[in-house]
Amino acid sequence: MPGEHHYSQISDEDRREFLKVLGVASAAATGGSAVDDVTLSDLQDLVAVESAGEFARRGEAIRNDLSGALDAELLATEMTGVADAIEGLSAVRAAGVPDRGEELYAELTTPAWRIDDHLTEVDFYASAEANLPRFTSEHIERMTKQLVHTASLAGTLSEVGFDEREQTALVANVVSQADRLALWEPTWVLEEAPVEEVNPDYVSPLQKRAASGALLWIDGLDKHLRKNEVLITDEMLDDGIADVRAMLGGFYLLSAAADRLGRGEISDEELTALVSGSAAIMIAAQTDFQYDLVRISDDMRAPRLGGD
Amino acid sequence: MQDGHIPKPGTAEIEQYENVDDIPKREVTQKQLLDSGDDPEGWLLYGNNYERHHFSTADIITPKNVSNLSLEWKHETVQNARQAAWFQGSVLVIPGDPPIIYQTNGTEQTRAINARTGEVLWFHQYHPKGIVSESEPPANRGVGVLGDTVYKATLDHGVLALNRYDGTEKWYYNGAYEYRGETAEGSRQLAMHDELQTWKRNRSQASNYPIVPFEDMFVMGSSGGEWGVHGWADGVTTDGEQAWHTGMTPPDQWVGDAWKHGGSTVWQAPAIDPESGTTVLPTGNPGPWFGTVRPGWNPYSAGKVAVDFHSGDVKWNYQESPHDWWDYDSPSPAVIYEAEMDGETRKLASWPGKTGWVYTVDLETGDLVERSEEYVEHINTWAIPPQNMEDAEWTAPHLLGGTDPQPSSFDPQRRTLFLKANNQPMKMAWSYIDYEMGEEYKGETFITASDNQQGSIPEWEKPPGNITALDPVTGKIKWQDWMDEAPWGGLLSTTTGLTFAGTPSGNLVAYDSETGDRLWTEQIIPRLDGNPVTWVDPTTGKQYVYIQGGGGTEQNVIAVYSMEG
């Protein structure tokens, strides 16, 4: 089933695969936690980081290739807005399908768009894309290890209400979606080996596609729910909103990395892990969102009004 | 053309035959167009009314006597510019003494024909500026008529206005002058945007867009979704002036510059509600097919976009396949009608999609009222194609549908939508090649399941095609006629309870609209892709049924059957 993986319902099998990628032999190694209770902090000291040197080199290059200064004040202000949006999401969900004229979901993204515009303006995305590898299985493995090893990951996600189980699931979901992530190619790959029909001149940097794409999906949700109310069930909506939460969480993580970069408070290897990892989280979440709430099969839809 | 000058980029041949003066000198009025659906003596619009019902009140032919239909006249080898040019269109029939048929086919041919005798009265052949692809045979699906003018879309993104009495040219509207917000240098009539004149043209180009005049305007669409375009629709006055231009890839809703290759073309005819001016445009898939370079919903692709007819302002859009990867565009025109729902009369729009469901929306808001039962099988639907064919799984619907451009017919008395469908699985994968402007631009390879693979593909249980009748309000299927090939072309329904359709095996079939029983079958040609139309000629006292087909093979046919009242 195309939509079987999404972070809110990640399976024990996916978690085992996650542990395997991290090189953690079994749940026993985490102090006896059950597979579905393993937290990032359980894993942090167990994961061997193999390529800190390379990650540091890439992070330094991202830092050096910015064309402008990051605006600390703007980032701090708008990140508060993103945090408020994540906190307010449950209230928006509780309101059900937005009435005509209401833009409950679109309003959530306003602060995020201001950050997105700023990051575009200072070539943050262009620099990230130019200096980060594509999503091969090898890179995903190394990135995941580095993410788990990065203490600030859990701290940052905790700031915006993601509990330990959710934090682990967000990262494990990236591992589960390795095949899908591989389809997200940097523009430099498209230039070297063009995909038919794709003119790289019109393609944005991968990290911008991850971030702006997530925001576009959220912006269109009010309209989608109104238009398709007869098809949508509570279960679909719950799953889809969980994906929205993951998209916003990923965006907050990206913003926090940029913020700390601007303030000189992030290590180069951490910068690489967080920028690459947050993009992967946003991509995985927007893919899940499509299968949970946008592409609606007969199996999942609400009963037909005319009966079966 | 004014002062003998022809301000158009291509060239043309016009032939007027001996009896060209037989065409009655009577202007077609706006009132006649508005009344066409209720007037059994003509077929004045593609679809016979603005609401696109492909329905006639002609009542001489009934389920009881349809078996007595007989051939009136037939052209078995109509001249065409290329053997591969297809005959997928629908003709117009203008009442008079005699009634006159306006017929088109690919490539770029238009004829005025005496509807009683089949005699060709004038012939117009346009040679567009640019290259016509050899790989994809072009079709032209029909013209529009208002006053004394015939309006015909051309393969160089234009519209030609022809004198309906003799086929001479009045003006050319240059739809390729402005593209993606950039205006070509030079005069509006002659200058063309570089990209638009460099592309090869294939069947999914402007030439297949039927023109539907309403009051003082018509809408012309764009296409070429496999050639790296972005889609648009133009409002054009009946004098050939641009009234509005609406892009189908709103830049602020796409990431970066992705909108510039965003596809979302408008290559089939609109349905129009004359009362409100709401015009429902079918839109193509987003481009490029490789979806990760254009994240988000990709509005207004792969669905319907409702615009105000006179301003082009977007009222709503409904997407069947948001952020599409599978070529699930939505070319089949909508039908507009009123229905009782919960004691309230509502105006609705319905259409079948390539996705294999019929969508019914409220015409005012675009909100979904109901999605029908599946009328084709869904197998592994929505699975993202891999980058090599070895890893691809069988999926359905096929990229040709569900339903592709085949126009449905709608019987308002029986609240029944009749549609044509494809039920073949496909495998799809991406490929790497060099990108070059002007070269074909598909972004995928695919294979279609053959009949002998059916046993090995789980869930593929039914034959490869069908004709379906369903209630679009409840979504319930009434009947289905399954067939061994997917049918192309449109349908025609009548007030007496008949539905006519061409089949892929070349038969013209009359169905009982209530039961789906085949009441009459006539073998015409190896493949029949046109849209049947009907009219009554009060002078002869006969009801006629017209269909055309072929062109993709060695044969092409125009055939008219009749029955005396």
Side-chain angles (χ1 to χ4, degrees):
Chain A
M1 185 67 194
E4 65 185 322
H5 296 299
H6 50 91
Y7 99 96
S8 62
Q9 295 180 2
I10 199 151
S11 66
D12 285 349
E13 185 184 338
D14 291 330
R15 286 172 186 271
R16 286 192 193 93
E17 177 64 23
F18 172 54
L19 294 177
K20 191 174 159 190
V21 164
L22 292 177
V24 177
S26 69
T30 67
S33 301
V35 169
D36 62 351
D37 285 335
V38 172
T39 66
L40 295 182
S41 54
D42 291 336
L43 298 168
Q44 194 177 339
D45 295 332
L46 299 174
V47 173
V49 180
E50 301 166 0
S51 51
E54 185 198 332
F55 272 49
R57 183 176 51 75
R58 291 181 183 279
E60 183 184 11
I62 293 173
R63 189 191 303 268
N64 291 338
D65 286 353
L66 294 181
S67 66
L70 288 159
D71 184 335
E73 191 177 340
L74 180 147
L75 288 168
T77 302
E78 305 304 346
M79 280 175 64
T80 302
V82 176
D84 290 345
I86 295 171
E87 189 182 354
L89 190 55
S90 56
V92 175
R93 163 66 186 93
V97 174
D99 290 334
R100 194 157 303 286
E102 282 187 329
E103 299 292 333
L104 303 181
Y105 290 97
E107 284 171 6
L108 295 176
T109 63
T110 305
W113 278 117
R114 292 195 193 105
I115 294 173
D116 184 72
D117 288 344
H118 178 56
L119 296 184
T120 304
E121 203 174 272
V122 300
D123 285 334
F124 178 85
Y125 291 124
S127 176
E129 184 187 64
N131 293 300
L132 290 175
R134 60 192 298 188
F135 285 121
T136 59
S137 55
E138 184 191 11
H139 173 62
I140 290 171
E141 180 180 329
R142 294 159 77 182
M143 176 193 76
T144 306
K145 286 178 176 173
Q146 189 71 42
L147 273 178
V148 170
H149 194 70
T150 301
S152 66
L153 172 71
T156 304
L157 289 172
S158 293
E159 284 171 21
V160 285
F162 286 81
D163 64 27
E164 289 187 328
R165 189 174 190 283
E166 289 177 305
Q167 294 165 17
T168 313
L170 277 180
V171 183
N173 193 32
V174 167
V175 174
S176 301
Q177 296 216 23
D179 289 348
R180 290 178 181 167
L181 286 170
L183 293 173
W184 286 69
E185 290 164 334
T187 51
W188 49 262
V189 172
L190 298 171
E191 284 161 5
E192 288 168 8
V195 173
E196 192 171 4
E197 199 187 352
V198 177
N199 182 348
D201 293 346
Y202 298 149
V203 179
S204 294
L206 187 153
Q207 288 73 16
K208 178 168 174 62
R209 279 179 271 148
S212 303
L215 301 183
L216 285 175
W217 283 114
I218 300 168
D219 283 354
L221 187 50
D222 299 284
K223 192 161 87 169
H224 175 71
L225 295 180
R226 277 195 295 271
K227 293 215 167 300
N228 294 287
E229 188 172 5
V230 298
L231 301 177
I232 291 170
T233 64
D234 278 346
E235 184 184 359
M236 289 163 57
L237 197 47
D238 286 340
D239 288 345
I241 300 311
D243 301 324
V244 169
R245 185 172 150 77
M247 287 189 253
L248 288 172
F251 193 90
Y252 188 84
L253 200 59
L254 177 76
S255 306
D259 179 46
R260 291 174 57 208
L261 172 62
R263 289 188 278 114
E265 296 174 0
I266 191 169
S267 70
D268 291 330
E269 59 266 32
E270 212 179 331
L271 180 64
T272 296
L274 288 177
V275 172
S276 198
S278 60
I281 288 170
M282 287 186 281
I283 289 169
Q286 61 179 281
T287 308
D288 289 338
F289 175 77
Q290 293 164 55
Y291 286 110
D292 288 336
L293 191 53
V294 176
R295 298 183 183 130
I296 303 172
S297 67
D298 275 353
D299 291 344
M300 64 197 280
R301 64 158 287 179
R304 195 168 289 104
L305 297 175
D308 286 324
Chain B
M1 199 67 73
Q2 298 90 338
D3 305 319
H5 177 62
I6 299 177
K8 63 180 185 302
T11 59
E13 302 157 34
I14 304 168
E15 295 175 37
Q16 293 158 349
Y17 297 102
E18 186 179 349
N19 293 329
V20 66
D21 290 336
D22 285 354
I23 300 176
K25 304 291 188 292
R26 283 171 37 189
E27 294 199 353
V28 174
T29 66
Q30 179 59 58
K31 184 170 187 318
Q32 276 183 286
L33 297 187
L34 285 166
D35 294 343
S36 180
D38 297 321
D39 180 1
E41 296 179 10
W43 190 282
L44 285 92
L45 295 160
Y46 184 88
N48 200 28
N49 60 2
Y50 286 111
E51 295 86 350
R52 319 206 47 73
H53 290 180
H54 293 261
F55 181 82
S56 173
T57 56
D59 60 4
I60 292 173
I61 307 170
T62 71
K64 285 186 178 171
N65 65 20
V66 66
S67 59
N68 297 326
L69 262 178
S70 61
L71 183 68
E72 183 74 29
W73 54 262
K74 188 177 189 181
H75 293 305
E76 296 205 50
T77 49
V78 181
Q79 172 197 355
N80 61 359
R82 299 166 58 231
Q83 283 297 333
W86 284 2
F87 284 58
Q88 294 183 355
S90 184
V91 297
L92 300 185
V93 183
I94 311 302
D97 187 16
I100 302 298
I101 288 173
Y102 291 96
Q103 180 270 341
T104 60
N105 57 265
T107 307
E108 303 287 49
Q109 299 192 352
T110 311
R111 294 173 184 82
I113 300 171
N114 182 322
R116 284 184 196 143
T117 64
E119 184 181 17
V120 178
L121 304 173
W122 59 252
F123 170 75
H124 183 278
Q125 169 78 59
Y126 184 57
H127 301 287
K129 183 171 183 178
I131 310 154
V132 177
S133 168
E134 292 295 324
S135 64
E136 304 252 27
N140 186 304
R141 298 198 167 89
V143 295
V145 175
L146 179 61
D148 61 1
T149 305
V150 174
Y151 301 95
K152 165 196 168 65
T154 67
L155 279 166
D156 45 22
H157 302 271
V159 176
L160 269 173
L162 308 177
N163 183 314
R164 96 167 177 93
Y165 306 129
D166 59 20
T168 56
E169 296 175 356
K170 294 184 167 187
W171 49 255
Y172 173 84
Y173 172 75
N174 190 343
Y177 182 62
E178 181 180 317
Y179 180 62
R180 230 166 39 204
E182 301 160 8
T183 301
E185 292 183 8
S187 79
R188 164 108 225 172
Q189 290 299 333
L190 293 170
M192 294 175 64
H193 192 285
D194 288 347
E195 286 196 29
L196 291 174
Q197 63 178 307
T198 306
W199 284 319
K200 291 175 185 170
R201 322 288 178 213
N202 69 358
R203 70 170 184 266
S204 62
Q205 289 291 320
S207 178
N208 64 22
Y209 189 91
I211 301 295
V212 182
F214 174 50
E215 296 180 346
D216 56 351
M217 277 179 51
F218 57 82
V219 179
M220 79 159 282
S222 61
S223 53
E226 275 66 75
W227 301 74
V229 303
H230 96 284
W232 77 89
D234 280 0
V236 182
T237 71
T238 47
D239 295 328
E241 300 297 324
Q242 186 183 55
W244 50 260
H245 179 85
T246 299
M248 291 292 142
T249 56
D252 64 341
Q253 295 180 60
W254 292 62
V255 176
D257 286 338
W259 67 274
K260 292 181 176 177
H261 277 191
S264 317
T265 50
V266 183
W267 55 276
Q268 252 287 33
I272 303 168
D273 173 31
E275 195 175 74
S276 64
T278 301
T279 303
V280 182
L281 302 171
T283 60
N285 56 299
W289 294 21
F290 191 73
T292 65
V293 298
R294 48 168 175 82
W297 301 86
N298 304 140
Y300 305 126
S301 67
K304 298 292 186 269
V305 177
V307 300
D308 178 274
F309 186 82
H310 289 102
S311 69
D313 292 344
V314 174
K315 293 185 169 186
W316 52 258
N317 74 292
Y318 184 89
Q319 290 185 278
E320 295 153 51
S321 180
H323 187 70
D324 176 74
W325 283 76
W326 307 271
D327 195 27
Y328 287 158
D329 51 350
S330 180
S332 187
V335 301
I336 295 172
Y337 57 99
E338 286 186 341
E340 292 289 326
M341 294 186 68
D342 300 325
E344 183 189 354
T345 301
R346 295 175 66 178
K347 199 168 274 188
L348 307 173
S350 299
W351 66 89
K354 278 191 178 180
T355 49
W357 292 290
V358 168
Y359 300 82
T360 294
V361 302
D362 183 291
L363 184 67
E364 188 179 342
T365 63
D367 293 347
L368 189 69
V369 170
E370 189 49 275
R371 191 178 80 180
S372 76
E373 296 176 323
E374 64 174 15
Y375 60 83
V376 294
E377 293 167 320
H378 288 80
I379 303 168
N380 202 27
T381 310
W382 310 126
I384 299 294
Q387 283 183 296
N388 64 73
M389 195 60 87
E390 287 174 4
D391 295 335
E393 298 178 79
W394 290 111
T395 64
H398 193 275
L399 60 81
L400 296 179
T403 302
D404 208 331
Q406 301 96 317
S408 303
S409 62
F410 178 70
D411 183 333
Q413 296 155 349
R414 295 166 180 82
R415 205 172 77 180
T416 305
L417 186 80
F418 303 90
L419 62 89
K420 290 184 168 181
N422 183 322
N423 190 53
Q424 285 176 292
M426 66 172 173
K427 283 188 180 182
M428 182 186 277
W430 308 110
S431 57
Y432 286 86
I433 66 154
D434 289 335
Y435 165 81
E436 280 184 50
M437 188 179 77
E439 294 301 318
E440 195 173 25
Y441 203 54
K442 278 187 175 173
E444 51 70 47
T445 55
F446 73 93
I447 56 174
T448 301
S450 64
D451 292 350
N452 59 17
Q453 288 173 303
Q454 188 163 45
S456 62
I457 301 173
E459 300 177 50
W460 187 29
E461 297 174 350
K462 299 291 182 84
N466 75 55
I467 292 176
T468 295
L470 57 77
D471 180 337
V473 178
T474 66
K476 302 289 284 184
I477 290 174
K478 295 186 172 185
W479 55 259
Q480 291 188 290
D481 181 28
W482 290 91
M483 45 194 69
D484 292 338
E485 289 180 77
W488 212 257
L491 297 118
L492 154 69
S493 294
T494 73
T495 190
T496 60
L498 288 170
T499 293
F500 290 89
T503 72
S505 53
N507 293 317
L508 177 58
V509 177
Y511 291 94
D512 184 318
S513 297
E514 296 279 3
T515 64
D517 291 339
R518 291 186 176 208
L519 301 177
W520 175 78
T521 299
E522 177 83 351
Q523 176 70 39
I524 295 183
I525 194 172
R527 184 175 180 86
L528 203 48
D529 292 338
N531 305 340
V533 308
T534 192
W535 68 97
V536 170
D537 183 342
T539 301
T540 63
K542 294 179 179 177
Q543 181 179 344
Y544 299 80
V545 179
Y546 171 103
I547 194 162
Q548 65 185 36
T553 63
E554 293 293 311
Q555 291 178 272
N556 46 69
V557 160
I558 292 174
V560 172
Y561 293 81
S562 70
M563 183 183 296
E564 201 158 345

